[in-house]
Amino acid sequence: MSMVFAPRMAEAAPSSHAGASWSPYDNNGGTCVAIAGADYCVIAADTRMSTGFSILTRDYSKIHQITEKCVLASSGFQADVRSLQKNLDARHQIYQHQHNKQMSCPAMAQLLSNTLYYKRFFPYYAFNVLGGLDNEGKGCVYTYDAVGSYERSGYSSQGSGQTLIMPVLDNQLKSASPLVLPPRESSTPLTENEAVDLIKDTFASAAERDIYTGDGVEIVIINKDGIRRETMPLKRD
Amino acid sequence: MDFSNFQAPGMYPYHASSSSKQAEKSYVDHPIMGPHNSSFTLMPEAPSKHTKYPYVTGTSVLGVKYKDGVLLASDTAASYGSTVRYKSVQRLKAVGKTTALGASGEISDFQAINELLDQLITNDYMWDDGNNLGPVEIHNYLNRLMYGRRNKFDPLWNSLVLGGVKNGQQYLGVVTMIGVHYVDDHVATGFGNHLARPIFRDEWRADMTHEEAVALLEKCMLVLFYRDRSAINKFQIANVTEAGVHISEPYALQTNWSYKAFENPTAGAVGSW
């Protein structure tokens, strides 16, 4: 499986094409993090877009708002990510026409899973974290693989810096195992501001060691008052 | 991973090894030439419709925003592998009234894209309602085109740079052959991303005058000429302003080969050999 997703330089070196085989995929890097609290959700992603050892742009938003209470952060292959975002927007538009309301975050989570699995044999090379508020107004985070396996959790990280960030989140926020019965609350005990600060720290750390994470972080906070956006500069090296 | 035999769902089996005998047979038994004699053939297998590598290619394209608009620059070379085969090929094009397009990569694919864009602009003009596509729309169209072709495993082998001005807003974007797209204040394809963009990052300003922006592009084109073997010293600059698109005649710059680093290139790099 991992072989199928092997990243490759999209653009062959000028005028040296001997033996070069074309790939429909590229890995444009980037890291996404989301943390759910009792009555809020924080979703963040860095703004660097890379190919191989080159930076394409330092200010590309990986966060896409689908509904008023549901936001998607995605890294991986930018062209697939953009296509996926447009697909979900179109499906949400149809949903609104049919039901005269916005889709709930848990429903959007299922739709995203189905959309990814629909392309199981030519996948979207996209690594998603979906965050927002559920029908009770509680924070929710859904985390995915490229072909649509998903899980609701209290916090998650995806993308090139996930291996650096996820253990820190586990250490700081470790939640009850999903196997424990009766099921426990998955959202984290942090306050909103503590969650934002933790996310800033994890990105500053990931930017030190992951060359695909840097330039800036975009942080989106969803709570009962609405949606708010913050940014923080990161190292540009 | 080698994708040469990969088939996306719904793809027509042009060349894949798993393609049915039927597809092969329709080629083998020619309707006019009669049954195919497999012992005498000039083409050993059915022709592949998919581009697996480029033939005639253009090198870097650069683009910068400036105070009153956007500038694009590219040289006029078209290389056949490492041979600089054609030296007067225009790689910049005006698209409608407000947009300029520059292409690196396969020249024939660029020419095919130009025909599609001309159709698009003409069809729009025929409505005769004064509407026209701006750079944002063209960028979106090109992105859908490139990404659609990569989904068919038949890519248009180009990196495209697109600049324009509409409603007082400068726009500068890139699309690659697999559909990756983005906008920035300054962009470059191919070697330009390695050699020109670091110079842009040091020297570019949003309030540059036309003269300053041209000087910056010329400096970068010279660096590319010195270091990129398929770049030549004959290039054009496209200027897009609120007034329209103007593409300069090809011209050359004064070069200087007596830099100390050129005379003794290994002086600053003491190696083990």
Side-chain angles (χ1 to χ4, degrees):
Chain A
M1 176 53 80
S2 63
M3 281 289 285
V4 176
F5 299 137
R8 180 184 285 281
M9 290 276 285
E11 202 171 339
S15 64
S16 166
H17 304 288
S21 80
W22 178 78
S23 167
Y25 290 115
D26 189 11
N27 187 357
N28 300 112
T31 306
C32 310
V33 175
I35 296 177
D39 59 351
Y40 68 88
C41 187
V42 189
I43 303 100
D46 72 311
T47 62
R48 176 175 292 182
M49 185 162 110
S50 317
T51 183
F53 288 127
S54 300
I55 294 171
L56 293 175
T57 178
R58 296 188 191 277
D59 190 20
Y60 186 84
S61 175
K62 296 176 186 68
I63 299 183
H64 182 69
Q65 186 179 163
I66 309 174
T67 76
E68 278 164 25
K69 290 178 178 174
C70 194
V71 158
L72 176 66
S74 330
S75 61
F77 175 38
Q78 184 265 350
D80 276 350
V81 166
R82 191 70 196 103
S83 185
L84 176 65
Q85 290 168 345
K86 285 192 175 187
N87 194 334
L88 292 177
D89 281 349
R91 293 294 295 268
H92 186 239
Q93 193 73 254
I94 293 166
Y95 182 96
Q96 286 179 89
H97 286 128
Q98 286 179 337
H99 300 98
N100 196 29
K101 66 172 184 179
Q102 297 217 331
M103 205 183 276
S104 71
C105 209
M108 185 58 74
Q110 181 65 55
L111 175 63
L112 175 54
S113 172
N114 294 155
T115 307
L116 291 168
Y117 194 78
Y118 186 78
K119 273 174 67 68
R120 172 64 180 78
F121 297 107
F122 184 27
Y124 285 122
Y125 189 65
F127 298 99
N128 300 292
V129 180
L130 187 76
L133 300 180
D134 66 10
N135 291 325
E136 282 91 61
K138 284 192 247 173
C140 57
V141 166
Y142 293 87
T143 185
Y144 295 80
D145 76 1
V147 290
S149 303
Y150 81 117
E151 171 184 58
R152 181 171 174 168
S153 59
Y155 58 89
S156 189
S157 173
Q158 288 280 352
S160 59
Q162 74 168 120
T163 50
L164 285 78
I165 289 179
M166 205 55 197
V168 179
L169 296 180
D170 287 332
N171 179 262
Q172 296 293 305
L173 305 171
K174 57 181 163 249
S175 58
S177 161
L179 301 176
V180 169
L181 287 172
R184 305 259 188 90
E185 188 61 57
S186 67
S187 61
T188 61
L190 297 185
T191 67
E192 188 183 295
N193 287 332
E194 284 171 337
V196 171
D197 285 348
L198 177 60
I199 280 179
K200 287 179 178 172
D201 281 348
T202 59
F203 272 97
S205 303
E208 287 288 336
R209 293 286 178 170
D210 176 21
I211 59 166
Y212 299 112
T213 300
D215 298 328
V217 219
E218 186 184 17
I219 304 168
V220 171
I221 302 117
I222 306 172
N223 57 30
K224 62 179 185 307
D225 301 326
I227 191 159
R228 176 171 109 242
R229 187 174 162 274
E230 266 185 47
T231 54
M232 181 184 81
L234 285 176
K235 287 177 69 159
R236 293 155 73 90
D237 61 357
Chain B
M1 182 72 188
D2 180 18
F3 283 92
S4 54
N5 284 320
F6 183 89
Q7 264 188 283
M11 260 178 82
Y12 188 79
Y14 287 118
H15 71 289
S17 59
S18 59
S19 66
S20 64
K21 283 271 157 29
Q22 241 178 335
E24 216 172 337
K25 195 164 173 63
S26 66
Y27 167 74
V28 170
D29 293 344
H30 195 275
I32 297 164
M33 303 296 280
H36 185 78
N37 178 3
S38 60
S39 64
F40 181 78
T41 175
L42 292 173
M43 291 161 86
E45 59 189 50
S48 168
K49 261 189 82 174
H50 294 180
T51 307
K52 290 176 177 171
Y53 44 84
Y55 282 91
V56 179
T57 58
T59 185
S60 320
V61 179
L62 312 180
V64 289
K65 288 183 187 173
Y66 72 100
K67 188 160 63 72
D68 325 298
V70 178
L71 293 176
L72 304 186
S74 85
D75 70 17
T76 60
S79 301
Y80 180 73
S82 53
T83 305
V84 182
R85 179 66 183 79
Y86 307 101
K87 296 186 178 181
S88 291
V89 176
Q90 190 173 113
R91 299 197 283 122
L92 301 175
K93 176 193 164 59
V95 184
K97 294 185 175 108
T98 55
T99 309
L101 176 67
S104 55
E106 175 66 50
I107 296 297
S108 65
D109 284 345
F110 175 54
Q111 288 165 351
I113 289 168
N114 284 348
E115 287 184 21
L116 290 172
L117 288 171
D118 286 342
Q119 276 176 31
L120 195 71
I121 299 299
T122 306
N123 281 329
D124 222 26
Y125 178 74
M126 287 193 296
W127 287 102
D128 197 24
D129 58 1
N131 285 342
N132 53 69
L133 298 177
V136 181
E137 293 81 41
I138 304 278
H139 193 202
N140 191 238
Y141 172 83
L142 288 172
N143 172 41
R144 303 316 296 171
L145 178 68
M146 301 297 266
Y147 185 69
R149 289 291 293 261
R150 92 104 209 190
N151 285 341
K152 289 201 265 183
F153 277 56
D154 190 14
L156 293 164
W157 211 285
N158 300 104
S159 284
L160 304 172
V161 175
L162 184 124
V165 185
K166 198 171 182 183
N167 306 324
Q169 199 55 44
Q170 294 110 311
Y171 187 89
L172 182 59
V174 170
V175 191
T176 75
M177 68 174 176
I178 51 176
V180 170
H181 56 287
Y182 53 94
V183 294
D184 215 330
D185 294 328
H186 49 75
V187 299
T189 66
F191 260 110
N193 205 31
H194 296 101
L195 296 175
R197 287 200 78 188
I199 301 173
F200 289 157
R201 285 177 184 138
D202 280 348
E203 301 183 12
W204 180 87
R205 287 174 291 106
D207 62 349
M208 286 181 124
T209 63
H210 177 255
E211 288 71 27
E212 287 174 318
V214 168
L216 177 60
L217 281 180
E218 287 178 347
K219 178 180 183 174
C220 291
M221 292 307 283
L222 257 189
V223 170
L224 283 164
F225 174 57
Y226 286 138
R227 289 296 179 187
D228 175 0
R229 63 175 180 178
S230 45
I232 62 169
N233 189 10
K234 179 179 178 184
F235 47 87
Q236 289 173 287
I237 288 184
N239 181 21
V240 195
T241 60
E242 208 76 64
V245 185
H246 176 259
I247 298 175
S248 78
E249 286 303 309
Y251 65 102
L253 285 172
Q254 185 66 248
T255 57
N256 172 21
W257 298 96
S258 56
Y259 292 116
K260 279 283 181 291
F262 285 172
E263 286 174 5
N264 189 5
T266 57
V270 184
S272 55
W273 65 89

